[in-house]
Amino acid sequence: MWLVFVAENHQKLMTKSVQILSTTEVEDRYVAQHFYQMWLDNGIQPAEIQENWLAEILSFIKKARRELQYQAFVAQVDNGIIGSVSCQLFSGLYPNILISNCRQYGYIWGVYVSPEYRRQGIGKQLVQQALKYLRSQGCTRAILHTSPWGKPLYTQLNFVNSNEMQLDLNSIPIIT
């Protein structure tokens, strides 16, 4: 599926046509590279990432495609892939005992746009395609985790803060 829209780069004052494409296995390496780069952009050092990151991501995608209705979308400009998003059925953190029309969550992850194309609506278009896909899979809610930089985008798309709480176990003394 192709979705074409125009992104305006206010810094360069130029207009480019962006195509949003549903991926197949052929584009999985691009999605994996974007996922890796997303972590680097969020302050993770390369030494903190597993050496086999590419194989790990590709294996995850293959399993998610088989078991969790995984789908990714890429943004393409001038035959170059400049962004991506992945989505799938949320497999849960605990046993799901609720009926599917009450709680069938979709999970969005790996939203990435190359730095020179950011703040032009491309990330928004990618996420909207993921939301459309998750809705087509019967999802009742979409969830994601965001960096501080992505929060304004998701707020604009009507995502709301949840009741998830976190505790950094490395920051507290060990309880004996």
Side-chain angles (χ1 to χ4, degrees):
M1 174 214 305
W2 290 88
L3 173 68
V4 179
F5 69 100
V6 175
E8 294 181 20
N9 185 331
H10 299 291
Q11 295 168 342
K12 297 179 184 176
L13 298 174
M14 59 193 293
T15 303
K16 294 202 175 236
S17 177
V18 177
Q19 298 171 324
I20 305 296
L21 168 67
S22 298
T23 66
T24 64
E25 294 86 1
V26 173
E27 292 84 16
D28 287 351
R29 287 185 175 267
Y30 292 104
V31 172
Q33 290 169 344
H34 287 169
F35 189 65
Y36 175 83
Q37 187 61 49
M38 178 197 73
W39 285 106
L40 297 178
D41 289 356
N42 281 294
I44 300 297
Q45 298 301 309
E48 297 174 295
I49 298 174
Q50 296 178 28
E51 288 183 26
N52 68 335
W53 63 267
L54 181 59
E56 186 70 26
I57 297 168
L58 293 175
S59 175
F60 181 93
I61 290 172
K62 184 176 182 179
K63 182 178 180 183
R65 187 175 276 119
R66 190 175 59 246
E67 298 175 9
L68 300 172
Q69 302 301 315
Y70 171 88
Q71 181 61 60
F73 300 92
V74 293
Q76 186 173 3
V77 173
D78 297 332
N79 296 319
I81 294 177
I82 54 93
S84 61
V85 63
S86 293
C87 61
Q88 64 193 51
L89 298 180
F90 182 65
S91 60
L93 303 173
Y94 46 82
N96 182 9
I97 62 169
L98 303 176
I99 59 175
S100 64
N101 67 351
C102 176
R103 185 179 184 268
Q104 177 66 48
Y105 290 179
Y107 192 73
I108 297 173
W109 60 275
V111 180
Y112 179 81
V113 176
S114 296
E116 63 272 23
Y117 291 97
R118 291 180 185 163
R119 303 184 63 79
Q120 299 175 50
I122 297 168
K124 181 178 180 180
Q125 293 295 321
L126 286 165
V127 172
Q128 287 175 323
Q129 281 300 115
L131 293 170
K132 184 177 177 181
Y133 174 77
L134 292 174
R135 186 176 289 130
S136 78
Q137 297 304 304
C139 292
T140 58
R141 184 169 297 207
I143 56 176
L144 55 75
H145 289 86
T146 184
S147 68
W149 302 278
K151 203 169 193 173
L153 166 65
Y154 304 120
T155 301
Q156 182 185 41
L157 289 170
N158 296 317
F159 281 80
V160 295
N161 288 324
S162 70
N163 63 347
E164 180 177 293
M165 299 176 75
Q166 295 182 16
L167 174 63
D168 181 356
L169 295 175
N170 292 323
S171 70
I172 60 171
I174 298 175
I175 302 170
T176 56

